[in-house]
Amino acid sequence: MSLPHAILTALLEKPSSGLELTRRFDRSIGYFWSATHQQIYRELGKLEAEGHIRALPTEAPTRGQKKSYEVLPAGRDELARWTSAPQDPKPWRDALFVRLRAAAVVGTTGLEDDLRRHLALHQQQLAEYEEIEKRDFGRGRSTTQDRLQHLILRAGIDLETFWTQWLVNALAEFERLPGDIGDRDEHPASE
């Protein structure tokens, strides 16, 4: 996914200033695509230069006044092109799995505590997603936009459920491990 397309999507939902976009990213899009304030402003400048967005006219421009942006037809066309283009899944990379592999040969010291920390973070995120679902996706929300946004939220709920269960299982496995694994010559790591 690219940041320009996330910004075009957000601006089509509601014309906004850079600051408003940053806040919206923190509350919604940021759950699956994060961006800093500086990245958003940099992309707004590029999108404007490419003719995909424009700053909304103001009655009396003043120095330091925030600009709000809207998507132009070229921006909508670009977003539609990008949305309909095929895209392969990205390889999944997570340092936690490399750390587990390394622990098999250097020892597990400190890793169990970090797994517990990860579990608490995923449980917290799951609870937040479930609260959003209760609050925002009750009865009467059946527009295409509502249904697709709920589908995205369900993906987040399902991923956090997976991580929570996987971490519970991993911690149970750690309970069954014999002491520290610093010297494992008798069981070389598989490729």
PDB file of all heavy atoms in Angstrom, residues 11-48:
ATOM      1  N   LEU A  11      -9.035  11.740   1.858  1.00  0.00           N
ATOM      2  CA  LEU A  11      -9.558  13.010   1.350  1.00  0.00           C
ATOM      3  C   LEU A  11     -10.862  12.830   0.579  1.00  0.00           C
ATOM      4  O   LEU A  11     -11.696  13.740   0.567  1.00  0.00           O
ATOM      5  CB  LEU A  11      -8.519  13.707   0.473  1.00  0.00           C
ATOM      6  CG  LEU A  11      -7.309  14.286   1.204  1.00  0.00           C
ATOM      7  CD1 LEU A  11      -6.298  14.845   0.218  1.00  0.00           C
ATOM      8  CD2 LEU A  11      -7.732  15.357   2.208  1.00  0.00           C
ATOM      9  N   LEU A  12     -11.038  11.685  -0.072  1.00  0.00           N
ATOM     10  CA  LEU A  12     -12.317  11.434  -0.735  1.00  0.00           C
ATOM     11  C   LEU A  12     -13.425  11.216   0.292  1.00  0.00           C
ATOM     12  O   LEU A  12     -14.572  11.585   0.064  1.00  0.00           O
ATOM     13  CB  LEU A  12     -12.217  10.225  -1.673  1.00  0.00           C
ATOM     14  CG  LEU A  12     -11.619  10.545  -3.037  1.00  0.00           C
ATOM     15  CD1 LEU A  12     -11.345   9.260  -3.817  1.00  0.00           C
ATOM     16  CD2 LEU A  12     -12.543  11.449  -3.844  1.00  0.00           C
ATOM     17  N   GLU A  13     -13.066  10.630   1.420  1.00  0.00           N
ATOM     18  CA  GLU A  13     -14.053  10.461   2.482  1.00  0.00           C
ATOM     19  C   GLU A  13     -14.447  11.816   3.067  1.00  0.00           C
ATOM     20  O   GLU A  13     -15.612  12.033   3.376  1.00  0.00           O
ATOM     21  CB  GLU A  13     -13.490   9.558   3.589  1.00  0.00           C
ATOM     22  CG  GLU A  13     -13.319   8.119   3.152  1.00  0.00           C
ATOM     23  CD  GLU A  13     -12.584   7.259   4.166  1.00  0.00           C
ATOM     24  OE1 GLU A  13     -11.941   7.805   5.092  1.00  0.00           O
ATOM     25  OE2 GLU A  13     -12.645   6.039   4.020  1.00  0.00           O
ATOM     26  N   LYS A  14     -13.438  12.733   3.178  1.00  0.00           N
ATOM     27  CA  LYS A  14     -13.729  14.057   3.742  1.00  0.00           C
ATOM     28  C   LYS A  14     -12.546  14.981   3.462  1.00  0.00           C
ATOM     29  O   LYS A  14     -11.430  14.708   3.906  1.00  0.00           O
ATOM     30  CB  LYS A  14     -13.930  13.936   5.249  1.00  0.00           C
ATOM     31  CG  LYS A  14     -14.203  15.251   5.925  1.00  0.00           C
ATOM     32  CD  LYS A  14     -14.338  15.059   7.420  1.00  0.00           C
ATOM     33  CE  LYS A  14     -14.533  16.408   8.084  1.00  0.00           C
ATOM     34  NZ  LYS A  14     -14.427  16.307   9.534  1.00  0.00           N
ATOM     35  N   PRO A  15     -12.773  16.087   2.726  1.00  0.00           N
ATOM     36  CA  PRO A  15     -11.688  17.054   2.538  1.00  0.00           C
ATOM     37  C   PRO A  15     -11.136  17.473   3.906  1.00  0.00           C
ATOM     38  O   PRO A  15     -11.893  17.676   4.858  1.00  0.00           O
ATOM     39  CB  PRO A  15     -12.367  18.225   1.828  1.00  0.00           C
ATOM     40  CG  PRO A  15     -13.517  17.591   1.110  1.00  0.00           C
ATOM     41  CD  PRO A  15     -13.994  16.498   2.039  1.00  0.00           C
ATOM     42  N   SER A  16      -9.816  17.577   4.001  1.00  0.00           N
ATOM     43  CA  SER A  16      -9.179  17.808   5.299  1.00  0.00           C
ATOM     44  C   SER A  16      -7.881  18.579   5.147  1.00  0.00           C
ATOM     45  O   SER A  16      -7.282  18.594   4.074  1.00  0.00           O
ATOM     46  CB  SER A  16      -8.847  16.467   5.973  1.00  0.00           C
ATOM     47  OG  SER A  16      -9.975  15.651   6.106  1.00  0.00           O
ATOM     48  N   SER A  17      -7.429  19.132   6.256  1.00  0.00           N
ATOM     49  CA  SER A  17      -6.099  19.743   6.313  1.00  0.00           C
ATOM     50  C   SER A  17      -5.094  18.643   6.659  1.00  0.00           C
ATOM     51  O   SER A  17      -5.474  17.531   7.035  1.00  0.00           O
ATOM     52  CB  SER A  17      -6.067  20.831   7.383  1.00  0.00           C
ATOM     53  OG  SER A  17      -6.184  20.247   8.676  1.00  0.00           O
ATOM     54  N   GLY A  18      -3.819  18.975   6.585  1.00  0.00           N
ATOM     55  CA  GLY A  18      -2.788  18.012   6.954  1.00  0.00           C
ATOM     56  C   GLY A  18      -2.914  17.582   8.402  1.00  0.00           C
ATOM     57  O   GLY A  18      -2.779  16.401   8.730  1.00  0.00           O
ATOM     58  N   LEU A  19      -3.197  18.523   9.291  1.00  0.00           N
ATOM     59  CA  LEU A  19      -3.360  18.199  10.703  1.00  0.00           C
ATOM     60  C   LEU A  19      -4.561  17.284  10.919  1.00  0.00           C
ATOM     61  O   LEU A  19      -4.491  16.308  11.678  1.00  0.00           O
ATOM     62  CB  LEU A  19      -3.504  19.482  11.524  1.00  0.00           C
ATOM     63  CG  LEU A  19      -3.673  19.305  13.027  1.00  0.00           C
ATOM     64  CD1 LEU A  19      -2.492  18.554  13.629  1.00  0.00           C
ATOM     65  CD2 LEU A  19      -3.839  20.660  13.703  1.00  0.00           C
ATOM     66  N   GLU A  20      -5.662  17.586  10.254  1.00  0.00           N
ATOM     67  CA  GLU A  20      -6.850  16.725  10.368  1.00  0.00           C
ATOM     68  C   GLU A  20      -6.550  15.326   9.831  1.00  0.00           C
ATOM     69  O   GLU A  20      -6.992  14.333  10.413  1.00  0.00           O
ATOM     70  CB  GLU A  20      -8.024  17.345   9.612  1.00  0.00           C
ATOM     71  CG  GLU A  20      -8.563  18.602  10.269  1.00  0.00           C
ATOM     72  CD  GLU A  20      -9.483  19.414   9.363  1.00  0.00           C
ATOM     73  OE1 GLU A  20      -9.399  19.292   8.118  1.00  0.00           O
ATOM     74  OE2 GLU A  20     -10.276  20.199   9.910  1.00  0.00           O
ATOM     75  N   LEU A  21      -5.801  15.238   8.735  1.00  0.00           N
ATOM     76  CA  LEU A  21      -5.419  13.925   8.201  1.00  0.00           C
ATOM     77  C   LEU A  21      -4.581  13.154   9.210  1.00  0.00           C
ATOM     78  O   LEU A  21      -4.790  11.950   9.412  1.00  0.00           O
ATOM     79  CB  LEU A  21      -4.637  14.075   6.900  1.00  0.00           C
ATOM     80  CG  LEU A  21      -5.441  14.349   5.647  1.00  0.00           C
ATOM     81  CD1 LEU A  21      -4.505  14.663   4.486  1.00  0.00           C
ATOM     82  CD2 LEU A  21      -6.334  13.180   5.296  1.00  0.00           C
ATOM     83  N   THR A  22      -3.633  13.835   9.836  1.00  0.00           N
ATOM     84  CA  THR A  22      -2.789  13.178  10.840  1.00  0.00           C
ATOM     85  C   THR A  22      -3.651  12.610  11.960  1.00  0.00           C
ATOM     86  O   THR A  22      -3.461  11.472  12.384  1.00  0.00           O
ATOM     87  CB  THR A  22      -1.762  14.178  11.407  1.00  0.00           C
ATOM     88  OG1 THR A  22      -0.940  14.648  10.337  1.00  0.00           O
ATOM     89  CG2 THR A  22      -0.889  13.542  12.458  1.00  0.00           C
ATOM     90  N   ARG A  23      -4.614  13.392  12.415  1.00  0.00           N
ATOM     91  CA  ARG A  23      -5.503  12.922  13.492  1.00  0.00           C
ATOM     92  C   ARG A  23      -6.352  11.739  13.029  1.00  0.00           C
ATOM     93  O   ARG A  23      -6.572  10.784  13.775  1.00  0.00           O
ATOM     94  CB  ARG A  23      -6.394  14.056  13.973  1.00  0.00           C
ATOM     95  CG  ARG A  23      -5.625  15.105  14.745  1.00  0.00           C
ATOM     96  CD  ARG A  23      -6.514  16.237  15.175  1.00  0.00           C
ATOM     97  NE  ARG A  23      -5.740  17.222  15.916  1.00  0.00           N
ATOM     98  CZ  ARG A  23      -6.024  18.497  15.970  1.00  0.00           C
ATOM     99  NH1 ARG A  23      -7.089  18.976  15.336  1.00  0.00           N
ATOM    100  NH2 ARG A  23      -5.264  19.330  16.652  1.00  0.00           N
ATOM    101  N   ARG A  24      -6.835  11.797  11.790  1.00  0.00           N
ATOM    102  CA  ARG A  24      -7.638  10.691  11.260  1.00  0.00           C
ATOM    103  C   ARG A  24      -6.791   9.439  11.089  1.00  0.00           C
ATOM    104  O   ARG A  24      -7.269   8.326  11.319  1.00  0.00           O
ATOM    105  CB  ARG A  24      -8.306  11.111   9.956  1.00  0.00           C
ATOM    106  CG  ARG A  24      -9.421  12.136  10.205  1.00  0.00           C
ATOM    107  CD  ARG A  24     -10.017  12.703   8.956  1.00  0.00           C
ATOM    108  NE  ARG A  24     -10.590  11.668   8.126  1.00  0.00           N
ATOM    109  CZ  ARG A  24     -10.709  11.785   6.806  1.00  0.00           C
ATOM    110  NH1 ARG A  24     -10.292  12.877   6.187  1.00  0.00           N
ATOM    111  NH2 ARG A  24     -11.255  10.822   6.114  1.00  0.00           N
ATOM    112  N   PHE A  25      -5.540   9.610  10.682  1.00  0.00           N
ATOM    113  CA  PHE A  25      -4.654   8.452  10.577  1.00  0.00           C
ATOM    114  C   PHE A  25      -4.466   7.816  11.940  1.00  0.00           C
ATOM    115  O   PHE A  25      -4.456   6.597  12.067  1.00  0.00           O
ATOM    116  CB  PHE A  25      -3.291   8.861   9.992  1.00  0.00           C
ATOM    117  CG  PHE A  25      -3.185   8.670   8.505  1.00  0.00           C
ATOM    118  CD1 PHE A  25      -3.889   9.489   7.635  1.00  0.00           C
ATOM    119  CD2 PHE A  25      -2.392   7.668   7.977  1.00  0.00           C
ATOM    120  CE1 PHE A  25      -3.805   9.323   6.268  1.00  0.00           C
ATOM    121  CE2 PHE A  25      -2.301   7.488   6.600  1.00  0.00           C
ATOM    122  CZ  PHE A  25      -2.998   8.314   5.746  1.00  0.00           C
ATOM    123  N   ASP A  26      -4.319   8.636  12.969  1.00  0.00           N
ATOM    124  CA  ASP A  26      -4.135   8.107  14.321  1.00  0.00           C
ATOM    125  C   ASP A  26      -5.353   7.320  14.794  1.00  0.00           C
ATOM    126  O   ASP A  26      -5.222   6.375  15.569  1.00  0.00           O
ATOM    127  CB  ASP A  26      -3.854   9.242  15.314  1.00  0.00           C
ATOM    128  CG  ASP A  26      -2.478   9.856  15.131  1.00  0.00           C
ATOM    129  OD1 ASP A  26      -1.629   9.247  14.454  1.00  0.00           O
ATOM    130  OD2 ASP A  26      -2.259  10.967  15.654  1.00  0.00           O
ATOM    131  N   ARG A  27      -6.548   7.706  14.330  1.00  0.00           N
ATOM    132  CA  ARG A  27      -7.777   7.081  14.819  1.00  0.00           C
ATOM    133  C   ARG A  27      -8.294   5.940  13.957  1.00  0.00           C
ATOM    134  O   ARG A  27      -9.107   5.153  14.421  1.00  0.00           O
ATOM    135  CB  ARG A  27      -8.889   8.124  14.930  1.00  0.00           C
ATOM    136  CG  ARG A  27      -8.704   9.128  16.034  1.00  0.00           C
ATOM    137  CD  ARG A  27      -9.950   9.976  16.237  1.00  0.00           C
ATOM    138  NE  ARG A  27     -10.585  10.384  14.997  1.00  0.00           N
ATOM    139  CZ  ARG A  27     -10.387  11.549  14.391  1.00  0.00           C
ATOM    140  NH1 ARG A  27      -9.567  12.418  14.898  1.00  0.00           N
ATOM    141  NH2 ARG A  27     -11.017  11.844  13.275  1.00  0.00           N
ATOM    142  N   SER A  28      -7.892   5.849  12.691  1.00  0.00           N
ATOM    143  CA  SER A  28      -8.493   4.806  11.854  1.00  0.00           C
ATOM    144  C   SER A  28      -7.482   4.172  10.912  1.00  0.00           C
ATOM    145  O   SER A  28      -7.044   3.057  11.139  1.00  0.00           O
ATOM    146  CB  SER A  28      -9.692   5.362  11.081  1.00  0.00           C
ATOM    147  OG  SER A  28      -9.277   6.420  10.227  1.00  0.00           O
ATOM    148  N   ILE A  29      -7.103   4.868   9.869  1.00  0.00           N
ATOM    149  CA  ILE A  29      -6.179   4.289   8.888  1.00  0.00           C
ATOM    150  C   ILE A  29      -4.873   3.877   9.557  1.00  0.00           C
ATOM    151  O   ILE A  29      -4.253   2.891   9.173  1.00  0.00           O
ATOM    152  CB  ILE A  29      -5.935   5.284   7.723  1.00  0.00           C
ATOM    153  CG1 ILE A  29      -7.222   5.459   6.904  1.00  0.00           C
ATOM    154  CG2 ILE A  29      -4.806   4.802   6.813  1.00  0.00           C
ATOM    155  CD1 ILE A  29      -7.151   6.519   5.839  1.00  0.00           C
ATOM    156  N   GLY A  30      -4.475   4.596  10.578  1.00  0.00           N
ATOM    157  CA  GLY A  30      -3.230   4.299  11.275  1.00  0.00           C
ATOM    158  C   GLY A  30      -3.174   2.934  11.918  1.00  0.00           C
ATOM    159  O   GLY A  30      -2.098   2.451  12.252  1.00  0.00           O
ATOM    160  N   TYR A  31      -4.311   2.289  12.102  1.00  0.00           N
ATOM    161  CA  TYR A  31      -4.292   0.934  12.651  1.00  0.00           C
ATOM    162  C   TYR A  31      -3.630  -0.042  11.683  1.00  0.00           C
ATOM    163  O   TYR A  31      -3.111  -1.068  12.093  1.00  0.00           O
ATOM    164  CB  TYR A  31      -5.709   0.441  12.964  1.00  0.00           C
ATOM    165  CG  TYR A  31      -6.308   1.072  14.187  1.00  0.00           C
ATOM    166  CD1 TYR A  31      -7.450   1.852  14.100  1.00  0.00           C
ATOM    167  CD2 TYR A  31      -5.747   0.886  15.445  1.00  0.00           C
ATOM    168  CE1 TYR A  31      -8.019   2.432  15.223  1.00  0.00           C
ATOM    169  CE2 TYR A  31      -6.297   1.464  16.576  1.00  0.00           C
ATOM    170  CZ  TYR A  31      -7.433   2.233  16.454  1.00  0.00           C
ATOM    171  OH  TYR A  31      -7.980   2.802  17.569  1.00  0.00           O
ATOM    172  N   PHE A  32      -3.676   0.270  10.387  1.00  0.00           N
ATOM    173  CA  PHE A  32      -3.052  -0.647   9.431  1.00  0.00           C
ATOM    174  C   PHE A  32      -2.081   0.039   8.485  1.00  0.00           C
ATOM    175  O   PHE A  32      -1.392  -0.626   7.718  1.00  0.00           O
ATOM    176  CB  PHE A  32      -4.112  -1.433   8.638  1.00  0.00           C
ATOM    177  CG  PHE A  32      -5.136  -0.580   7.950  1.00  0.00           C
ATOM    178  CD1 PHE A  32      -4.931  -0.118   6.664  1.00  0.00           C
ATOM    179  CD2 PHE A  32      -6.316  -0.243   8.590  1.00  0.00           C
ATOM    180  CE1 PHE A  32      -5.872   0.664   6.040  1.00  0.00           C
ATOM    181  CE2 PHE A  32      -7.275   0.540   7.966  1.00  0.00           C
ATOM    182  CZ  PHE A  32      -7.043   0.989   6.685  1.00  0.00           C
ATOM    183  N   TRP A  33      -1.993   1.363   8.509  1.00  0.00           N
ATOM    184  CA  TRP A  33      -1.004   2.083   7.701  1.00  0.00           C
ATOM    185  C   TRP A  33      -0.678   3.383   8.419  1.00  0.00           C
ATOM    186  O   TRP A  33      -1.468   4.314   8.413  1.00  0.00           O
ATOM    187  CB  TRP A  33      -1.546   2.377   6.295  1.00  0.00           C
ATOM    188  CG  TRP A  33      -0.468   2.905   5.411  1.00  0.00           C
ATOM    189  CD1 TRP A  33      -0.209   4.214   5.129  1.00  0.00           C
ATOM    190  CD2 TRP A  33       0.515   2.152   4.723  1.00  0.00           C
ATOM    191  NE1 TRP A  33       0.873   4.316   4.304  1.00  0.00           N
ATOM    192  CE2 TRP A  33       1.336   3.060   4.029  1.00  0.00           C
ATOM    193  CE3 TRP A  33       0.781   0.790   4.614  1.00  0.00           C
ATOM    194  CZ2 TRP A  33       2.405   2.644   3.252  1.00  0.00           C
ATOM    195  CZ3 TRP A  33       1.838   0.384   3.833  1.00  0.00           C
ATOM    196  CH2 TRP A  33       2.634   1.307   3.160  1.00  0.00           C
ATOM    197  N   SER A  34       0.489   3.435   9.043  1.00  0.00           N
ATOM    198  CA  SER A  34       0.827   4.621   9.828  1.00  0.00           C
ATOM    199  C   SER A  34       1.673   5.595   9.011  1.00  0.00           C
ATOM    200  O   SER A  34       2.338   5.211   8.059  1.00  0.00           O
ATOM    201  CB  SER A  34       1.575   4.212  11.095  1.00  0.00           C
ATOM    202  OG  SER A  34       2.776   3.562  10.748  1.00  0.00           O
ATOM    203  N   ALA A  35       1.603   6.842   9.403  1.00  0.00           N
ATOM    204  CA  ALA A  35       2.391   7.891   8.762  1.00  0.00           C
ATOM    205  C   ALA A  35       2.588   9.024   9.759  1.00  0.00           C
ATOM    206  O   ALA A  35       1.702   9.317  10.555  1.00  0.00           O
ATOM    207  CB  ALA A  35       1.685   8.412   7.518  1.00  0.00           C
ATOM    208  N   THR A  36       3.757   9.631   9.685  1.00  0.00           N
ATOM    209  CA  THR A  36       4.028  10.775  10.553  1.00  0.00           C
ATOM    210  C   THR A  36       3.419  12.033   9.942  1.00  0.00           C
ATOM    211  O   THR A  36       3.077  12.074   8.758  1.00  0.00           O
ATOM    212  CB  THR A  36       5.544  10.991  10.726  1.00  0.00           C
ATOM    213  OG1 THR A  36       6.086  11.370   9.456  1.00  0.00           O
ATOM    214  CG2 THR A  36       6.223   9.746  11.261  1.00  0.00           C
ATOM    215  N   HIS A  37       3.337  13.054  10.751  1.00  0.00           N
ATOM    216  CA  HIS A  37       2.843  14.361  10.313  1.00  0.00           C
ATOM    217  C   HIS A  37       3.676  14.847   9.116  1.00  0.00           C
ATOM    218  O   HIS A  37       3.125  15.308   8.113  1.00  0.00           O
ATOM    219  CB  HIS A  37       2.942  15.326  11.503  1.00  0.00           C
ATOM    220  CG  HIS A  37       2.288  16.637  11.307  1.00  0.00           C
ATOM    221  ND1 HIS A  37       0.923  16.801  11.326  1.00  0.00           N
ATOM    222  CD2 HIS A  37       2.812  17.864  11.087  1.00  0.00           C
ATOM    223  CE1 HIS A  37       0.631  18.077  11.130  1.00  0.00           C
ATOM    224  NE2 HIS A  37       1.762  18.743  10.980  1.00  0.00           N
ATOM    225  N   GLN A  38       4.995  14.714   9.210  1.00  0.00           N
ATOM    226  CA  GLN A  38       5.882  15.169   8.144  1.00  0.00           C
ATOM    227  C   GLN A  38       5.655  14.384   6.849  1.00  0.00           C
ATOM    228  O   GLN A  38       5.667  14.956   5.762  1.00  0.00           O
ATOM    229  CB  GLN A  38       7.355  15.047   8.565  1.00  0.00           C
ATOM    230  CG  GLN A  38       7.772  15.980   9.673  1.00  0.00           C
ATOM    231  CD  GLN A  38       7.416  15.435  11.061  1.00  0.00           C
ATOM    232  OE1 GLN A  38       6.948  14.306  11.219  1.00  0.00           O
ATOM    233  NE2 GLN A  38       7.628  16.249  12.088  1.00  0.00           N
ATOM    234  N   GLN A  39       5.480  13.059   6.957  1.00  0.00           N
ATOM    235  CA  GLN A  39       5.232  12.248   5.763  1.00  0.00           C
ATOM    236  C   GLN A  39       3.932  12.669   5.076  1.00  0.00           C
ATOM    237  O   GLN A  39       3.872  12.744   3.854  1.00  0.00           O
ATOM    238  CB  GLN A  39       5.169  10.764   6.132  1.00  0.00           C
ATOM    239  CG  GLN A  39       6.488  10.167   6.529  1.00  0.00           C
ATOM    240  CD  GLN A  39       6.326   8.762   7.091  1.00  0.00           C
ATOM    241  OE1 GLN A  39       5.438   8.502   7.907  1.00  0.00           O
ATOM    242  NE2 GLN A  39       7.179   7.861   6.666  1.00  0.00           N
ATOM    243  N   ILE A  40       2.913  12.927   5.865  1.00  0.00           N
ATOM    244  CA  ILE A  40       1.622  13.333   5.296  1.00  0.00           C
ATOM    245  C   ILE A  40       1.765  14.661   4.562  1.00  0.00           C
ATOM    246  O   ILE A  40       1.309  14.806   3.427  1.00  0.00           O
ATOM    247  CB  ILE A  40       0.530  13.390   6.386  1.00  0.00           C
ATOM    248  CG1 ILE A  40       0.185  11.966   6.829  1.00  0.00           C
ATOM    249  CG2 ILE A  40      -0.708  14.133   5.889  1.00  0.00           C
ATOM    250  CD1 ILE A  40      -0.735  11.874   8.031  1.00  0.00           C
ATOM    251  N   TYR A  41       2.428  15.633   5.189  1.00  0.00           N
ATOM    252  CA  TYR A  41       2.600  16.933   4.529  1.00  0.00           C
ATOM    253  C   TYR A  41       3.441  16.817   3.263  1.00  0.00           C
ATOM    254  O   TYR A  41       3.149  17.462   2.248  1.00  0.00           O
ATOM    255  CB  TYR A  41       3.200  17.963   5.491  1.00  0.00           C
ATOM    256  CG  TYR A  41       2.129  18.647   6.303  1.00  0.00           C
ATOM    257  CD1 TYR A  41       1.811  18.214   7.574  1.00  0.00           C
ATOM    258  CD2 TYR A  41       1.398  19.707   5.769  1.00  0.00           C
ATOM    259  CE1 TYR A  41       0.805  18.824   8.313  1.00  0.00           C
ATOM    260  CE2 TYR A  41       0.396  20.324   6.485  1.00  0.00           C
ATOM    261  CZ  TYR A  41       0.106  19.876   7.757  1.00  0.00           C
ATOM    262  OH  TYR A  41      -0.897  20.489   8.475  1.00  0.00           O
ATOM    263  N   ARG A  42       4.478  16.001   3.299  1.00  0.00           N
ATOM    264  CA  ARG A  42       5.313  15.805   2.112  1.00  0.00           C
ATOM    265  C   ARG A  42       4.483  15.212   0.969  1.00  0.00           C
ATOM    266  O   ARG A  42       4.553  15.657  -0.173  1.00  0.00           O
ATOM    267  CB  ARG A  42       6.500  14.905   2.474  1.00  0.00           C
ATOM    268  CG  ARG A  42       7.542  14.797   1.408  1.00  0.00           C
ATOM    269  CD  ARG A  42       8.811  14.040   1.840  1.00  0.00           C
ATOM    270  NE  ARG A  42       8.626  13.006   2.828  1.00  0.00           N
ATOM    271  CZ  ARG A  42       9.078  13.071   4.092  1.00  0.00           C
ATOM    272  NH1 ARG A  42       9.741  14.115   4.515  1.00  0.00           N
ATOM    273  NH2 ARG A  42       8.875  12.073   4.928  1.00  0.00           N
ATOM    274  N   GLU A  43       3.659  14.213   1.283  1.00  0.00           N
ATOM    275  CA  GLU A  43       2.821  13.580   0.255  1.00  0.00           C
ATOM    276  C   GLU A  43       1.745  14.528  -0.258  1.00  0.00           C
ATOM    277  O   GLU A  43       1.400  14.496  -1.440  1.00  0.00           O
ATOM    278  CB  GLU A  43       2.196  12.284   0.769  1.00  0.00           C
ATOM    279  CG  GLU A  43       3.162  11.143   0.898  1.00  0.00           C
ATOM    280  CD  GLU A  43       3.875  10.783  -0.395  1.00  0.00           C
ATOM    281  OE1 GLU A  43       3.263  10.877  -1.491  1.00  0.00           O
ATOM    282  OE2 GLU A  43       5.050  10.416  -0.322  1.00  0.00           O
ATOM    283  N   LEU A  44       1.193  15.369   0.617  1.00  0.00           N
ATOM    284  CA  LEU A  44       0.204  16.347   0.169  1.00  0.00           C
ATOM    285  C   LEU A  44       0.824  17.263  -0.887  1.00  0.00           C
ATOM    286  O   LEU A  44       0.192  17.548  -1.909  1.00  0.00           O
ATOM    287  CB  LEU A  44      -0.321  17.178   1.343  1.00  0.00           C
ATOM    288  CG  LEU A  44      -1.313  16.484   2.267  1.00  0.00           C
ATOM    289  CD1 LEU A  44      -1.555  17.311   3.522  1.00  0.00           C
ATOM    290  CD2 LEU A  44      -2.622  16.185   1.546  1.00  0.00           C
ATOM    291  N   GLY A  45       2.047  17.693  -0.650  1.00  0.00           N
ATOM    292  CA  GLY A  45       2.735  18.540  -1.630  1.00  0.00           C
ATOM    293  C   GLY A  45       2.935  17.830  -2.956  1.00  0.00           C
ATOM    294  O   GLY A  45       2.713  18.414  -4.031  1.00  0.00           O
ATOM    295  N   LYS A  46       3.319  16.562  -2.903  1.00  0.00           N
ATOM    296  CA  LYS A  46       3.526  15.784  -4.137  1.00  0.00           C
ATOM    297  C   LYS A  46       2.201  15.580  -4.878  1.00  0.00           C
ATOM    298  O   LYS A  46       2.139  15.719  -6.095  1.00  0.00           O
ATOM    299  CB  LYS A  46       4.159  14.422  -3.816  1.00  0.00           C
ATOM    300  CG  LYS A  46       5.597  14.494  -3.377  1.00  0.00           C
ATOM    301  CD  LYS A  46       6.102  13.094  -3.034  1.00  0.00           C
ATOM    302  CE  LYS A  46       7.489  13.119  -2.438  1.00  0.00           C
ATOM    303  NZ  LYS A  46       7.926  11.780  -2.018  1.00  0.00           N
ATOM    304  N   LEU A  47       1.168  15.223  -4.136  1.00  0.00           N
ATOM    305  CA  LEU A  47      -0.139  14.994  -4.760  1.00  0.00           C
ATOM    306  C   LEU A  47      -0.676  16.270  -5.405  1.00  0.00           C
ATOM    307  O   LEU A  47      -1.275  16.230  -6.480  1.00  0.00           O
ATOM    308  CB  LEU A  47      -1.140  14.449  -3.731  1.00  0.00           C
ATOM    309  CG  LEU A  47      -0.922  13.015  -3.274  1.00  0.00           C
ATOM    310  CD1 LEU A  47      -1.766  12.699  -2.039  1.00  0.00           C
ATOM    311  CD2 LEU A  47      -1.248  12.038  -4.394  1.00  0.00           C
ATOM    312  N   GLU A  48      -0.425  17.398  -4.754  1.00  0.00           N
ATOM    313  CA  GLU A  48      -0.869  18.675  -5.322  1.00  0.00           C
ATOM    314  C   GLU A  48      -0.066  18.987  -6.590  1.00  0.00           C
ATOM    315  O   GLU A  48      -0.636  19.399  -7.609  1.00  0.00           O
ATOM    316  CB  GLU A  48      -0.721  19.790  -4.287  1.00  0.00           C
ATOM    317  CG  GLU A  48      -1.372  21.089  -4.708  1.00  0.00           C
ATOM    318  CD  GLU A  48      -1.386  22.125  -3.590  1.00  0.00           C
ATOM    319  OE1 GLU A  48      -0.535  22.062  -2.667  1.00  0.00           O
ATOM    320  OE2 GLU A  48      -2.252  23.021  -3.645  1.00  0.00           O
TER     321      GLU A  48
END
